[in-house]
Amino acid sequence: MIKFTNGPDSWKRLDYIIMARGFVKPYNDYQILKNDTDWLISEGYNILNFDCTEWSNKEIMHTSLHSKFDFPVYYGHNWDALDECLNEIEIKENGLVVVFDNLDIMNIKLAHTLIDVFVSSAQRHLIFSERLLILIKVESWNFKLHPYGAFNLYWY
């Protein structure tokens, strides 16, 4: 995995930009998304694609996530199980990029929770020098998500 430095060579890298801005990058143009995923592949990232138009309900979404991530058989098909299993995945090579195509087709609350869980996991993986990046393809520049990836206050 490439080590970032505090200088222009790192600041210009796509992976650095995505991580520095919250682990998520939105797209509304397939060609730009393809160019970026091609660059990420050339840098040693693995890509995992999901088409959200296939997710007509939360159960289908969880079944798709379970299958593509090869989660354990006991995966509970709920947000807590997704959070737990994402935190346990092994990220190889330079990192893992998860692409959610047509995310704006989903119910906005469902989409927000999905991205929030992935960003929280990306933050945790970074502790172990593993990179998890999330790319979302939407149709409209006006697509918005509420803030995501926030931490709770824990009393130790």
Side-chain angles (χ1 to χ4, degrees), residues 23-80:
F23 301 95
V24 178
K25 183 173 185 203
Y27 297 83
N28 73 343
D29 182 300
Y30 278 112
Q31 189 57 53
I32 296 171
L33 174 61
K34 181 181 179 339
N35 293 346
D36 284 0
T37 54
D38 287 349
W39 184 88
L40 290 160
I41 290 168
S42 75
E43 291 294 315
Y45 284 86
N46 294 313
I47 310 289
L48 197 55
N49 289 290
F50 293 95
D51 183 356
C52 299
T53 58
E54 299 172 359
W55 296 351
S56 57
N57 61 50
K58 192 177 353 175
E59 182 59 31
I60 293 171
M61 177 196 71
H62 280 291
T63 299
S64 176
L65 291 166
H66 183 184
S67 174
K68 279 202 180 178
F69 275 103
D70 196 25
F71 288 152
V73 112
Y74 59 81
Y75 175 66
H77 291 237
N78 59 56
W79 297 120
D80 289 336

Side-chain angles (χ1 to χ4, degrees), residues 14-15 17-27 98 100 103 114-116 118-120 122 132-137 143 145 148-149:
L14 176 62
D15 46 1
I17 292 167
I18 294 170
M19 291 172 65
R21 293 183 180 167
F23 301 95
V24 178
K25 183 173 185 203
Y27 297 83
V98 179
F100 293 109
L103 185 74
L114 177 70
I115 298 305
D116 191 52
F118 270 84
V119 168
S120 293
L132 174 61
L133 308 178
I134 303 101
L135 309 182
I136 60 174
K137 167 62 179 69
F143 180 80
L145 288 174
Y148 50 82

